[in-house]
Amino acid sequence: GQNIDQPTEMTATEGAIVQINCTYQTSGFNGLFWYQQHAGEAPTFLSYNVLDGLEEKGRFSSFLSRSKGYSYLLLKELQMKDSASYLCAVMDSNYQLIWGAGTKLIIKP
Amino acid sequence: GAVVSQHPSRVICKSGTSVKIECRSLDFQATTMFWYRQFPKQSLMLMATSNEGSKATYEQGVEKDKFLINHASLTLSTLTVTSAHPEDSSFYICSAREGTSGGAPYEQYFGPGTRLTVT
């Protein structure tokens, strides 16, 4: 079956760095997405990786290793507004997104 | 660019009635639209995928006679929850895919969601 695993909840301090991991097993691979979702709102796109390596976009970076079925989202200089759920999703061979359950990130002052 | 709107944002209805939710792509043509349901503290659950002009493909366990999806044009899809029951209360989110290459290919753009409460 298809499976996406990510931690349920993480806590970090304002100004610090946090890494959210995601491991996956899917039928085919056409890229991995990270989305941010604030409570009661729809997800917003953060990043897309289809090749191995690190993609940096401002305070957020995303890493992919296809051979290991592994990705992480790195958030630097954490701000209180970064408190949200972070969803990892993999696009399978049918171009369908398979979603992880999300990681709730709590930022403390 | 790539804005998806959803209407209504919140709706309360009585058990047994039907509710229609609209999803529109405002500045692009959506070849494919997706409907998701999300219960509190859970991830998105794909309900169905629809391509313009053809019947929707429903995920296993989703009743197609209860959740009617119409993708009549490249910018509009509707989800109708028929004979709603309290267990249908959820956050319904649509997303649209342009299907072009470049940038983040096959990226889905999400609508703001519709909070349905069935009393």
Side-chain angles (χ1 to χ4, degrees):
Chain A
Q2 310 206 89
N3 197 46
I4 311 281
D5 283 319
Q6 51 182 128
T8 304
E9 188 175 296
M10 298 182 72
T11 302
T13 305
E14 190 177 15
I17 299 172
V18 71
Q19 178 175 309
I20 303 174
N21 296 325
C22 171
T23 57
Y24 63 90
Q25 289 179 310
T26 57
S27 54
F29 180 83
N30 279 299
L32 185 144
F33 295 80
W34 283 97
Y35 284 84
Q36 180 190 61
Q37 186 178 25
H38 285 100
E41 299 179 11
T44 55
F45 171 79
L46 289 178
S47 68
Y48 170 75
N49 294 68
V50 69
L51 300 177
D52 289 350
L54 186 68
E55 295 276 344
E56 296 186 78
K57 192 186 292 186
R59 293 190 299 115
F60 294 2
S61 302
S62 57
F63 171 83
L64 174 67
S65 168
R66 288 171 297 171
S67 62
K68 295 182 180 178
Y70 167 71
S71 171
Y72 67 73
L73 179 68
L74 191 71
L75 293 77
K76 302 177 184 176
E77 300 170 16
L78 286 170
Q79 302 174 9
M80 297 304 293
K81 67 178 182 180
D82 297 330
S83 293
S85 287
Y86 291 85
L87 308 176
C88 172
V90 172
M91 186 163 280
D92 68 10
S93 56
N94 295 318
Y95 296 100
Q96 183 162 303
L97 280 178
I98 311 300
W99 293 87
T103 298
K104 182 179 180 182
L105 178 62
I106 300 168
I107 309 296
K108 295 185 175 180
Chain B
V3 177
V4 176
S5 70
Q6 238 179 286
H7 178 80
S9 57
R10 286 180 177 272
V11 57
I12 301 172
C13 71
K14 292 188 176 181
S15 187
T17 61
S18 296
V19 174
K20 179 184 282 189
I21 302 170
E22 290 188 351
C23 177
R24 293 181 184 271
S25 57
L26 298 185
D27 50 4
F28 67 99
Q29 293 187 323
T31 55
T32 307
M33 285 187 169
F34 304 86
W35 286 96
Y36 292 89
R37 182 167 52 182
Q38 187 176 34
F39 293 105
K41 299 184 180 180
Q42 295 186 24
S43 190
L44 300 172
M45 291 174 50
L46 180 65
M47 298 175 67
T49 302
S50 73
N51 293 294
E52 184 263 340
S54 60
K55 288 184 178 180
T57 302
Y58 289 80
E59 295 300 300
Q60 196 171 7
V62 177
E63 301 174 57
K64 56 184 175 183
D65 293 332
K66 180 172 180 62
F67 298 100
L68 302 179
I69 292 172
N70 184 17
H71 193 162
S73 75
L74 284 171
T75 59
L76 173 65
S77 176
T78 60
L79 167 67
T80 302
V81 183
T82 62
S83 187
H85 291 286
E87 56 265 31
D88 298 325
S89 298
S90 187
F91 192 46
Y92 291 87
I93 307 172
C94 75
S95 70
R97 189 168 74 195
E98 194 170 11
T100 58
S101 61
Y106 304 108
E107 180 185 341
Q108 292 183 27
Y109 302 99
F110 286 87
T114 297
R115 176 76 58 192
L116 171 63
T117 303
V118 184
T119 60

